[in-house]
């Protein structure tokens, strides 16, 4: 094995009665990656996460955290994991600080200093000594995240972490998760049913539908974008037809199509500035340049079938 | 493990409910003291009354030959007891702080009900609030978490029982005075023989036996709580089991199988005073039954708590 995966999931299956909720999932998550579970409501994302952290038994399959079987040595495996499963439910009659203290006591080597650190990290300094019952959903989400970070986990598992966060909070969380992954090598696993969110946050996404793994895709336009593969780029211009002509003339081999008022090209990342320059030189006005990952969106929409819940 | 226990303690004692329940017990104790104080009628001629009563009893004993032997024994015991009071110039109608504390022990039904509220809620509330997910995704095993909760529940039971003892003594001392710890308390055993011991010793002995009952009722609540994950069910079932169980044992005491019911065995004080509910039961038998019940209930709670899925909430 070239590099040890932080998390290995092998043939993970959960059946309740005759119904198979999670069906034979297998994939690896390397360290330093933000990995997304994407799927419509009821796809089995939460169920998968529950199995990973030992809340429910596995009908079949195994989960390894840095090579440790979660079922064989729960304590050793969980010592490297921080998690929030579904909504972050905390003790409402305690303050945020008392809650963190409670969970710090359950971990080894988490002192007052670390508690203060995570409180600052999630931006809860102002309210940390208030009772949790006075918190808003977003504040509870932040406190839940603080709890998950207490142990400086190598693997962070978050189920719908953006639920309840305001746009600024989502952005902060996204930046924060990416920093954790890139700087500290944390393997971050997030679940969501929102494609747009996943595109911005994740390096790779597993698409799950009715408990089955449909596809694992690398997100190409994220920070970790691949330099050599082509991506779809949309250029908003004043004169689409002229633009297509310019591109076809200046860049042989590049496919350019007109879609409504935009020109859509499929090129590698380093080609984008060249195309833009030739358009500028030709006197075409450019209003916007967006990179889109049509193929992922198409796959996802196909699966979700216009919003109906897959059962 | 110690850290887990302090977590559980924090969750019990940082809740207002815990203190409200304790407050109700203390209030009830004060109330009993006030009622006794205001209705207390010391009989100034108590000695004459006792002498007259003894003379009556002697008469009956001598003239009524048809008396069943138990009655005879009981009457003789009463004469002995009265004579003791007369000889030692002790007014049996006079309330003391110590006597009050033994009287206030009758609030134990309330105590048990309140202890069960906490013991029956300690596991179930984690499920109803969803915090169980957070609790079980830390590094502690389910066995450790369950054990810490059980110990915390028993410590709370001990705390409440001790609080009731201390408070009823304080209350008694303030209202009726501290004297009289060595006064004798008379009681009859299963065979109808009269015994006596200092009232202070009698009080502590009773609290010891009460605590055994408390442990078992709390264990039932804890077990139901861990198995069914519902505090309502746990509290209702165990309070019901406590009252119905005790009544049932009393009502069906002529059947010998009743001795295998838990509640026929929880009140060990009956081997000292009053006799066991079913004839032929021995202290050794009861202790063995209690140990069996204890082990079975805890194993059941442990097995189900550690094995069952934490389903979607
Ligand atoms: N205890 C259970 N018994 C039977 N079916 C269950 C049980 N728990 C979950 N399911 C079913 O399993 C499927 C997957 O549920 P899960 O909560 O994992 O979905 P999800 O992907 O997290 O969805 P969401 O986006 O709504 O959070 C659903 O169809 C659900 O009805
Ligand atoms: Mg879910």
């Amino acid at each position: 094995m070239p590099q040890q995966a932080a998390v290995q999931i092998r043939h993970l299956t959960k059946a309740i009665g005759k119904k198979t909720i999670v069906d034979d999932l297998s994939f690896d998550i390397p360290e330093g990656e933000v990995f997304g579970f994407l799927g419509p409501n009821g796809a089995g994302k939460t169920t998968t996460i529950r199995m990973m952290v030992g809340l429910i038994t596995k009908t079949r399959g195994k989960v390894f955290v840095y090579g440790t079987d979660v079922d064989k040595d729960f304590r050793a495996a969980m010592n490297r994991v921080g998690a929030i499963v579904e909504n972050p439910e905390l003790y409402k009659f305690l303050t945020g600080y008392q809650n963190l203290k409670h969970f710090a006591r359950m971990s080894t080597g988490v002192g007052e200093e670390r508690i203060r650190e995570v409180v600052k990290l999630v931006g809860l300094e102002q309210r940390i000594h208030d009772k949790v019952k006075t918190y808003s959903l977003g504040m509870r989400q932040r406190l839940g995240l603080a709890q998950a970070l207490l142990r400086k986990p190598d693997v962070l598992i978050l189920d719908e972490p953006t639920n309840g966060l305001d746009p600024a909070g989502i952005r902060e969380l996204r930046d924060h998760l990416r920093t954790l992954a890139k700087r500290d090598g944390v393997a971050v696993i997030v679940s969501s049913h929102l494609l747009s969110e996943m595109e911005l946050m994740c390096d790779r996404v597993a698409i799950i539908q009715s408990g089955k793994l449909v596809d694992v895709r690398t997100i190409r336009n994220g920070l970790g974008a691949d330099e050599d593969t082509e991506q779809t780029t949309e250029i908003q211009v004043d004169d689409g037809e002229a633009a297509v002509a310019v591109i076809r003339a200046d860049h042989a081999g590049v496919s350019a199509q007109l879609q409504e008022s935009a020109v859509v090209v499929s090129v590698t990342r380093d080609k984008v500035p060249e195309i833009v320059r030739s358009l500028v030189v030709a006197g075409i006005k450019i209003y916007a340049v967006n990179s889109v990952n049509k193929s992922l969106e198409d796959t996802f929409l196909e699966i979700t079938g216009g919003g109906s819940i897959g059962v | 493990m110690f850290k887990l226990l302090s977590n559980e303690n924090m969750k019990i004692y940082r809740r207002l409910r815990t203190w409200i329940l304790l407050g109700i017990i203390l209030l009830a104790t004060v109330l009993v003291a006030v009622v006794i104080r205001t209705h207390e009628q010391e009989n100034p001629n108590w000695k004459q009354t006792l002498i007259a009563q003894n003379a009556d009893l002697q008469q009956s004993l001598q003239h009524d030959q048809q008396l069943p032997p138990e009655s005879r024994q009981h009457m003789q015991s009463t004469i002995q007891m009265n004579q003791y009071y007369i000889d030692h110039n002790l007014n049996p109608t006079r309330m003391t702080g110590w006597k009050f504390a033994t009287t206030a022990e009758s609030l134990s039904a309330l105590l048990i009900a309140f202890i069960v509220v906490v013991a029956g809620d300690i596991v179930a509330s984690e499920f109803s609030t969803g915090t169980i997910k957070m609790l079980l995704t830390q590094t502690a095993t389910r066995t450790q978490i369950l054990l810490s909760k059980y110990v915390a529940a028993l410590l709370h039971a001990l705390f409440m029982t001790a609080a009731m003892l201390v408070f009823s003594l304080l209350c008694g001392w303030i209202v009726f005075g501290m004297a009289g710890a060595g006064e004798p308390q008379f009681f009859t055993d299963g065979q109808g023989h009269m015994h006596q011991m200092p009232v202070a010793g009698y009080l502590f002995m009773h609290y010891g036996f009460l605590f055994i009952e408390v442990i078992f009722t709390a264990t039932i609540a804890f077990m139901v709580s861990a198995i069914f994950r519902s505090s309502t069910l746990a509290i209702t079932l165990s309070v019901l089991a406590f009252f119905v169980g005790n009544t049932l044992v009393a009502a069906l005491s002529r059947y010998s199988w009743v001795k295998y019911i838990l509640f026929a065995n929880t009140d060990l004080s009956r081997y000292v005073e009053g006799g066991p509910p079913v004839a032929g039961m021995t202290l050794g038998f009861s202790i063995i039954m209690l140990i069996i019940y204890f082990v079975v209930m805890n194993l059941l709670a442990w097995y189900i708590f550690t094995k069952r899925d934490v389903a979607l909430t």
Side-chain angles (χ1 to χ4, degrees):
Chain A
M1 224 184 278
Q3 173 202 9
Q4 197 186 27
V7 179
Q8 293 168 290
I9 292 175
R10 292 287 175 272
H11 306 295
L12 197 58
T13 303
K14 180 73 182 180
I16 296 180
K18 281 205 180 105
K19 214 168 127 201
T20 307
I21 300 172
V22 172
D23 197 356
D24 200 35
L25 295 187
S26 294
F27 44 82
D28 284 4
I29 298 142
E31 47 183 50
E33 182 174 86
V34 182
F35 186 86
F37 285 158
L38 182 61
N41 295 134
K45 305 178 297 284
T46 301
T47 309
T48 305
I49 288 175
R50 276 173 191 266
M51 280 193 278
M52 291 173 70
V53 297
L55 281 176
I56 60 177
T57 55
K58 303 162 182 64
T59 307
R60 232 165 330 107
K62 290 201 176 306
V63 172
F64 300 93
V65 174
Y66 283 93
T68 309
D69 186 337
V70 172
D71 290 325
K72 289 235 174 67
D73 194 348
F74 181 78
R75 303 196 63 177
M78 288 308 286
N79 199 24
R80 311 186 72 159
V81 176
I84 308 178
V85 182
E86 286 195 313
N87 300 321
E89 260 104 20
L90 294 136
Y91 300 101
K92 293 209 169 77
F93 55 93
L94 299 178
T95 65
Y97 189 83
Q98 285 164 346
N99 265 285
L100 290 181
K101 190 143 189 212
H102 174 272
F103 292 110
R105 279 201 197 121
M106 297 184 78
S107 324
T108 38
V110 181
E112 307 262 327
E113 200 163 319
R114 178 65 187 159
I115 297 180
R116 271 198 297 278
E117 226 170 273
V118 293
V119 168
K120 194 151 169 255
L121 216 59
V122 300
L124 265 183
E125 299 108 310
Q126 303 290 318
R127 298 291 303 274
I128 197 66
H129 291 291
D130 292 350
K131 290 232 162 95
V132 171
K133 63 175 155 220
T134 67
Y135 282 20
S136 68
L137 177 57
M139 289 161 72
R140 288 207 295 273
Q141 196 69 262
R142 284 162 194 257
L143 187 59
L145 182 65
Q147 171 275 138
L149 291 174
L150 272 178
R151 259 174 299 182
K152 293 193 179 161
D154 297 319
V155 175
L156 190 60
I157 303 176
L158 308 172
D159 194 3
E160 314 248 1
T162 53
N163 187 17
L165 291 183
D166 52 27
I170 292 180
R171 212 208 140 85
E172 253 172 62
L173 175 74
R174 192 162 68 215
D175 293 347
H176 188 63
L177 293 184
R178 294 213 60 90
T179 313
L180 277 176
K182 299 309 157 209
R183 192 192 60 200
D184 306 337
V186 176
V188 181
I189 301 168
V190 290
S191 85
S192 175
H193 50 263
L194 294 175
L195 170 72
S196 51
E197 208 172 276
M198 290 304 223
E199 276 191 307
L200 291 171
M201 207 185 279
C202 302
D203 299 311
R204 274 196 313 154
V205 167
I207 301 174
I208 299 169
Q209 159 76 353
S210 301
K212 289 196 185 65
L213 186 65
V214 178
D215 204 358
V216 179
R217 277 172 188 266
T218 304
I219 306 273
R220 284 166 191 174
N221 56 352
L223 290 173
D226 201 327
E227 296 292 327
D228 301 329
T229 47
E230 292 191 341
Q231 62 188 44
T232 309
T233 305
E234 199 183 66
I235 308 169
Q236 306 270 352
V237 292
D238 58 344
D239 184 349
E241 272 163 37
V244 170
V246 169
I247 294 168
R248 288 204 176 131
D250 287 8
H251 305 273
V254 171
S255 82
Q257 263 133 32
L258 190 61
Q259 276 180 12
E260 287 162 41
S261 71
V263 179
V264 175
V265 292
S266 233
V267 289
T268 54
R269 194 176 155 84
D270 57 342
K271 269 271 173 60
V272 176
E274 292 172 24
I275 291 174
V276 171
R277 199 176 52 214
S278 27
L279 290 177
V280 171
V281 169
I284 292 166
K285 286 181 178 156
I286 298 171
Y287 298 117
V289 180
N290 302 317
S291 72
V292 285
N293 208 329
K294 273 287 185 239
S295 61
L296 179 60
E297 190 171 5
D298 289 344
T299 316
F300 185 65
L301 283 179
E302 234 166 73
I303 292 164
T304 55
S308 74
I309 291 169
V311 182
Chain B
M1 191 61 221
F2 184 75
K3 286 179 180 172
L4 291 184
L5 184 59
S6 41
N7 270 348
E8 294 309 323
N9 285 337
M10 170 170 82
K11 285 184 272 182
I12 293 177
Y13 301 107
R14 291 240 182 234
R15 279 190 77 166
L16 190 59
R17 182 190 65 188
T18 307
W19 300 102
I20 291 177
L21 293 182
L22 181 66
I24 293 176
I25 291 212
L26 304 189
L27 204 72
T29 313
V30 174
L31 226 69
V32 172
V34 168
V35 167
I36 291 181
R37 172 94 258 182
T38 50
H39 289 72
E40 191 183 32
Q41 283 168 339
E42 251 183 68
N43 182 352
N45 303 318
W46 62 273
K47 225 176 221 171
Q48 284 89 321
T49 316
L50 286 187
I51 290 168
Q53 193 189 5
N54 267 5
D56 271 1
L57 288 169
Q58 290 285 8
Q59 282 263 305
S60 313
L61 278 174
Q62 271 160 21
H63 297 290
D64 194 345
Q65 297 306 324
Q66 266 98 57
L67 271 178
E70 297 95 67
S71 300
R72 288 187 95 73
Q73 198 174 29
H74 180 76
M75 284 155 80
Q76 273 157 358
S77 303
T78 312
I79 293 171
Q80 270 175 29
M81 181 172 79
N82 288 345
Q83 199 55 51
Y84 183 98
Y85 286 130
I86 296 162
D87 292 348
H88 291 79
N89 197 25
L90 262 179
N91 181 356
T93 59
R94 196 177 64 85
M95 197 43 130
T96 68
W98 296 89
K99 272 198 210 163
F100 169 76
T102 65
T103 312
E105 203 216 325
S106 58
L107 289 174
S108 64
L110 197 64
L111 174 78
I112 285 179
F114 287 176
I115 284 171
V116 154
V117 167
V118 172
D121 198 46
I122 194 165
V123 175
S125 68
E126 301 271 3
F127 281 93
S128 61
T129 59
T131 45
I132 188 76
K133 289 180 301 189
M134 295 279 182
L135 201 60
L136 295 184
T137 50
Q138 309 296 321
T139 54
T141 62
R142 291 195 188 189
T143 306
Q144 290 172 320
I145 286 171
L146 191 71
L147 185 65
S148 65
K149 283 189 172 293
Y150 186 55
V151 173
L154 290 189
L155 283 179
H156 169 258
L158 181 63
F159 165 67
M160 290 283 277
T161 312
M164 185 167 116
L165 170 63
V166 169
F167 197 75
S168 58
L169 267 178
L170 283 179
C171 228
W173 288 341
I174 291 167
V175 180
F176 304 103
M178 281 180 80
E183 276 183 23
Q185 174 80 34
F186 293 90
F187 56 90
T188 41
D189 65 15
Q191 281 77 48
H193 298 299
M194 172 97 45
H195 300 271
Q196 67 174 78
M197 65 162 69
V199 64
Y202 182 82
L203 175 69
F204 292 130
M205 177 187 81
H206 260 272
Y207 264 90
F209 288 131
L210 173 65
F211 190 58
I212 293 173
E213 268 186 280
V214 163
I215 286 178
F216 277 87
T217 321
T219 304
I220 295 177
F222 186 81
M223 175 188 71
V224 177
S225 180
I227 293 176
F228 296 103
R229 302 167 176 190
S230 151
S231 15
T232 327
L233 195 67
I235 295 163
T236 324
L237 264 185
S238 43
V239 170
L240 223 71
F242 177 71
F243 288 111
V244 176
N246 278 318
T247 319
L248 217 66
V249 167
L252 300 176
S253 60
R254 61 182 181 282
Y255 301 107
S256 76
W257 55 262
V258 166
K259 65 181 179 215
Y260 298 108
I261 295 177
L262 172 62
F263 288 101
N265 299 287
T266 45
D267 187 4
L268 294 179
S269 74
R270 300 185 62 161
Y271 290 102
V272 177
E273 183 176 0
V278 178
M281 284 174 70
T282 64
L283 181 62
F285 172 83
S286 281
I287 289 175
I288 288 170
M289 288 306 295
L290 287 182
I291 291 172
I292 292 173
Y293 268 102
F294 186 81
V295 171
V296 168
M297 288 197 292
N298 280 316
L299 273 182
L300 220 60
W302 171 78
Y303 183 79
I304 291 177
F305 182 79
T306 51
K307 295 288 176 290
R308 250 183 70 183
D309 281 359
V310 177
L312 305 180
T313 41

